[in-house]
Amino acid sequence: MADDAASGPATLAGLGVSPGRTAGPCLRMAGPPELPAPYAVPDVDAELAVVGKALEAVAEDLRRRSAAASADRSAAEILDALAMMADDPTLREEAEQAVRDGMDAPHALDAAFTRHREALAALGGYLAERAADLDDLKHRAVAAALGVPMPGVPSPGHPFVLIADDLSPADTAGLGPEVLALVTVRGGPTSHTAILARGRGLPAVVACAGAADLADGTLVAVDGGTGEIVAGVTEVEATRIREAEIAERARLAATSGPGRTADGHPVKLLLNIGSAADLRPDGEGVGLFRTEFLFLDRRQAPSYEEQVTAYADVFAAVPYVVVRTLDAGTDKPLPFLGLAEEPNPALGIRGLRVDRVLPDVLDTQLDAIAEAARRTGAEAWVMAPMVSTPGEAAAFARRARERGIAKVGAMVEVPAAALLADRLLREVDFLSIGTNDLSQYTYAADRQHPALADLLDPAQPALLRLVERCAEAGRAVGKPVGVCGEAAGDPGLAPVLAGLGVTSLSMAPVCVPAVRDALSRHTLAECRELARAALAGD
Ligand code: PEP
Ligand code: MG
């Protein structure tokens, strides 16, 4: 493990994926508890009390988390439903009977939950999908009976730095305000977990192998920009770091106005959001509304009306929004789609390709987007993720235009799309380059792989050459070509992208001030020079 405070602070290296500095005690996300060997029960009444208290502790913890998540209606509903499952009197009675029959409390709870899980799974359909929830409850109840930390995100009642082996996008989306920063042992720089952290302005470091050994309670300083973790800082130092960060954010927040180079060349600064809750009063509109983030933990398809409301919430707040249709698959599974497991999901049915197996999903979504735009009078542009051919772009554009959507675009995330950018632009009104996936597919490097971060770096010339090709195709026909991958929010890269000719940069709201600042420090000629140098690099 890192040196403890007595031997001085120790520095750990990871990949910074969401900027910002903070410090506080770290707490890890516990894994499922291990069942000990069965033991003889000396006092049945005491053992019955252990069962009761464990189930009550689980339900109480879920209710507390539900109250904390009350702003997020769907998260609170899920937590309430789980609390009711933990309170189920039949389940409790079964566990208690097992104790009366001589079983110890942890095994009695394990057996009762396992039986209920099997019964639910046998019912099929929606209820079978809830069976996995019972595993989670079982682990929590057994942990409570054993007196070890419950698995999942801790809720200690004070701010802390969360340490986890890895986090799913759904876990990240559900993190409460007590979490100061996120540090994971695994994960890649453009994983969707990293994107969600950035969207929330939560400093985050991934691929930090040393974090696995940090003891709970160690005071750590986290730099989500450089990826550096210092373990064993003092309380005084931790307070100083938090105060300095507040001052730096205030300094950058004082910048305002549209994106411009030093000589006034406009480059629109747009926001990447997952819901209306991510909106901030900055930027010139929304350049990427990741609609799938609205429905990550949904087991039933969102209805047409529910979608209209969710989209209208954003449209009503921002007059210009680029909506991306659902990008499900790989690390963003949408349970309600029920997609089959695949051996190679990143190369399989994801993004627009879901339409090949479930065409109604896109039709309903396009209907809902068109209706939300009508109701709010917003300028809603629509684009499809993972477009690979001009034919796919044409078919998508036809279906969107049939519904009265005026501006239709394609994301460029696959090298084939970048190579034929000119032909894509015969079919659609704009392109938006998703550098996260474009890096992944250009370099054949899994975007979640911590050991391949160098291959995923969008500053590499092969990737920039593809960006340049798209920007030139746009310039030739006078159509906008923006970047909405994480590269757009990197203040070091933004002037290069502007020099390559992209017309907008769309990023997590937290990144806008620093990118605005970076653009304003270079003339367009300097940006072009930076782009030439980057294209000529290794
Ligand atoms: C991208 O791939 O760059 C992109 C913006 O889409 P996502 O990160 O949501 O896959
Ligand atoms: Mg993508």
Side-chain angles (χ1 to χ4, degrees), residues 324 327 350 413 437 447:
R324 173 175 73 187
D327 181 23
R350 65 163 294 199
E413 306 186 275
D437 277 313
R447 65 192 271 180

Side-chain angles (χ1 to χ4, degrees), residues 49-60:
V50 172
V51 166
K53 283 203 183 106
L55 290 171
E56 279 152 29
V58 172
E60 203 179 291

Side-chain angles (χ1 to χ4, degrees), residues 20 38 68 93 103 107 144 157 206 231 265 300 367 382-383 405 497:
E93 180 45 41
M103 208 181 258
H107 284 89
V206 301
H265 173 72
Q300 279 178 318
D367 285 339
V382 175
M383 65 184 182
I405 294 170
L497 297 173

